[in-house]
Amino acid sequence: MSELTPAQLKAQKKAAKAAKRAASKEASGQAPTRDPREAKKEQQQAAAKEGGSSSNTGNNSNNTQGGSNQSSASASSKEDRTRASRPALFGHLEKAGKVTAADAGKDVHPEVITLALRYSSYQIVGSSDRARTLLQAFQRVIADYETPEGTTLSRNLTTHLGHQIDFVISARPLSVSMGNAIRWLKQEISVVSIDMSDQAAKDMLVEKIDEYIKEKIDVSGSVIVESAVNDIADGDTVLTFAHSEVVENTFIAAHQAGKRFKIIVVDSRPLHEGRKLARDLSARGIECIYILVSALAHVLDDVSRVFLGAHAMLSNGALLSRVGSALIATAAKRKNIPVIVLCESMKFSDRVQLDSVTLNELAFPEMLANTYISDKKKLPEDKAKTSLKYLNLCYDLTPAANLTKIITELGHLPPSAVPVIMREYKSAYTM
């Protein structure tokens, strides 16, 4: 047997002495006592497991550490409560964030900060509007940009824009149209010649952004409106859901063309986007009926066609749009009512999705919790925290089988033509 080391011999003697003291006290009828140092060590270990620090260490640095641990534990507990308030099945989804100007880094442009705050508060919600305002903010960023020494604009500007994009994403996940616009812009920056002066390059990029907005948003929308007007006839009752800019412009153009028709605007909480559409159309003299989605079954028998806007058209022909669109399309399909989608090609995505669970966006749960019941009182907060789980989805998925056709600036297409169009025009869309 190998000899014990000095440390092992010392520990052995210490244990023998402790056992001898315990035996002596037990023989005299006294309760055995523990080594104060051992008791103190165990106390500190127990406190560390609970996320705090020992209050009797007498060391200022340890006290500071304990406060930090308690703050971390508090933040972790808050996050756990937030997660617990959502159904576990949807815990992986992206969600909007509550950002402030203080959350922005030093490289984030003031124009981008203002825009991100508007996204976060849902003041700008339309997919086309979000893409347009983002590109316009990037114009200001590019105009104020100065290339650091030792690098070139084509290399550094992309990194600088990355800081702006990260802050926008922290406020709210990007839409498909915004993602396509960002990829296009990065491609344009990458091909800027290193021989071009910075000012000339910035002027060129600002001009290209103007061209993109005009071609992909403004002109595309105008072409869709001119084409979609032909699908509205005198005496029609057209149903639409929430609010879409291109759908609203189609109704206005049809009314200006002298067609007599009626609009049923179906709306849902919490955003109630259809209120603005109904208010604007009725102000122009168009006959409107405003209902909530719960009353859909009572009006479908009078509907001749359904017009829907789009957040995105996916590669498998499915429609990703404001939550509730799938319900309306399915109900219309069962009654053989044509469902027509108005969608600019900049909203086409090469993504394939079969349900609304895999990829979606979660809005703030407070938008559902802070609702009023019949006696004008808010839901009790204690019950909201303990017995309710919030699921405030932004979008749902409508299968291609429930859609009649898609009207884009490229013409009237069946949903199955989406991947064909994307292959033919991929270089233009920069997917």
Side-chain angles (χ1 to χ4, degrees):
M1 186 174 64
S2 60
E3 296 183 358
L4 297 177
T5 63
Q8 290 174 333
L9 288 172
K10 184 177 180 180
Q12 191 178 49
K13 291 180 181 180
K14 185 177 179 181
K17 289 181 179 180
K20 186 176 180 180
R21 284 197 300 269
S24 176
K25 288 184 179 291
E26 187 176 357
S28 63
Q30 298 179 14
T33 58
R34 301 172 61 195
D35 189 343
R37 290 174 295 183
E38 292 293 328
K40 184 176 181 180
K41 184 176 180 181
E42 290 183 8
Q43 184 180 3
Q44 290 176 345
Q45 291 176 347
K49 287 183 179 180
E50 295 176 359
S53 65
S54 177
S55 60
N56 58 353
T57 58
N59 191 313
N60 291 335
S61 62
N62 287 344
N63 289 338
T64 304
Q65 174 104 20
S68 176
N69 289 340
Q70 290 174 358
S71 299
S72 300
S74 176
S76 176
S77 176
K78 184 177 181 180
E79 177 65 19
D80 290 342
R81 289 196 300 270
T82 302
R83 290 183 180 276
S85 68
R86 291 181 288 163
L89 180 63
F90 300 89
H92 65 284
L93 297 180
E94 292 183 290
K95 60 182 184 298
K98 294 181 178 179
V99 297
T100 64
D103 299 323
K106 62 179 181 179
D107 295 327
V108 181
H109 195 279
E111 189 79 12
V112 175
I113 296 176
T114 301
L115 185 62
L117 295 177
R118 296 183 67 192
Y119 289 156
S120 179
S121 59
Y122 290 88
Q123 296 180 30
I124 303 176
V125 293
S127 186
S128 297
D129 282 344
R130 290 171 67 190
R132 180 189 290 109
T133 53
L134 181 69
L135 289 173
Q136 290 171 345
F138 283 168
Q139 284 182 312
R140 293 289 303 275
V141 172
I142 293 172
D144 296 340
Y145 168 79
E146 294 183 2
T147 305
E149 294 184 4
T151 186
T152 60
L153 180 141
S154 58
R155 288 186 177 184
N156 187 260
L157 180 55
T158 301
T159 303
H160 183 64
L161 285 179
H163 298 304
Q164 323 300 319
I165 296 168
D166 289 342
F167 186 69
V168 171
I169 293 175
S170 70
R172 188 179 175 189
L174 299 178
S175 66
V176 171
S177 58
M178 295 166 74
N180 289 338
I182 289 172
R183 281 189 287 273
W184 166 84
L185 180 57
K186 287 183 176 180
Q187 175 65 24
E188 292 296 328
I189 295 173
S190 67
V191 298
V192 172
S193 174
I194 59 175
D195 297 326
M196 183 179 293
S197 67
D198 284 2
Q199 189 58 48
K202 293 193 292 184
D203 292 342
M204 181 192 69
L205 290 173
V206 170
E207 184 178 352
K208 282 185 174 292
I209 291 176
D210 279 331
E211 292 175 357
Y212 186 93
I213 294 174
K214 183 178 180 180
E215 178 184 351
K216 296 296 183 181
I217 302 178
D218 298 335
V219 174
S220 294
S222 299
V223 173
I224 292 173
V225 168
E226 292 177 5
S227 182
V229 165
N230 298 325
D231 283 77
I232 300 178
D234 286 333
D236 274 350
T237 298
V238 183
L239 184 143
T240 188
F241 178 65
H243 178 266
S244 168
E245 180 182 355
V246 68
V247 171
E248 178 180 2
N249 292 336
T250 298
F251 294 153
I252 294 174
H255 178 68
Q256 292 174 345
K259 296 185 177 183
R260 300 176 62 85
F261 57 96
K262 181 168 62 178
I263 302 295
I264 299 178
V265 179
V266 184
D267 206 2
S268 67
R269 55 182 305 272
L271 293 178
H272 293 290
E273 296 176 78
R275 290 177 178 175
K276 179 180 183 302
L277 177 63
R279 182 169 57 248
D280 293 345
L281 293 180
S282 60
R284 292 177 176 271
I286 302 176
E287 183 180 356
C288 293
I289 297 175
Y290 177 82
I291 65 170
L292 293 180
V293 70
S294 55
L296 177 65
H298 298 282
V299 299
L300 274 181
D301 289 337
D302 300 327
V303 174
S304 54
R305 64 196 67 243
V306 174
F307 277 41
L308 295 176
H311 175 76
M313 287 300 306
L314 307 185
S315 186
N316 59 344
L319 166 68
L320 189 67
S321 190
R322 179 68 62 204
V323 62
S325 301
L327 170 65
I328 290 174
T330 302
K333 175 71 174 180
R334 295 188 62 180
K335 289 185 173 292
N336 295 319
I337 301 172
V339 179
I340 302 170
V341 179
L342 309 186
C343 179
E344 300 92 334
S345 60
M346 67 175 291
K347 298 179 183 178
F348 283 14
S349 172
D350 56 1
R351 192 169 73 208
V352 174
Q353 193 171 331
L354 302 178
D355 56 52
S356 303
V357 180
T358 307
L359 290 172
N360 210 315
E361 178 186 339
L362 288 175
F364 299 127
E366 293 85 355
M367 297 171 69
L368 294 179
N370 296 337
T371 184
Y372 285 84
I373 53 181
S374 57
D375 60 352
K376 303 298 183 182
K377 293 182 179 179
K378 290 186 178 180
L379 291 174
E381 292 187 4
D382 55 342
K383 292 185 178 180
K385 291 179 180 178
T386 58
S387 60
L388 290 180
K389 291 185 180 295
Y390 305 117
L391 181 60
N392 191 7
L393 290 174
C394 287
Y395 308 107
D396 62 16
L397 195 76
T398 304
N402 292 343
L403 305 177
T404 305
K405 65 178 178 180
I406 308 165
I407 301 180
T408 74
E409 70 270 25
L410 306 173
H412 294 231
L413 308 171
S416 58
V418 172
V420 178
I421 296 299
M422 289 183 60
R423 283 197 301 269
E424 293 294 329
Y425 293 89
K426 193 168 185 178
S427 59
Y429 301 145
T430 63
M431 293 291 182

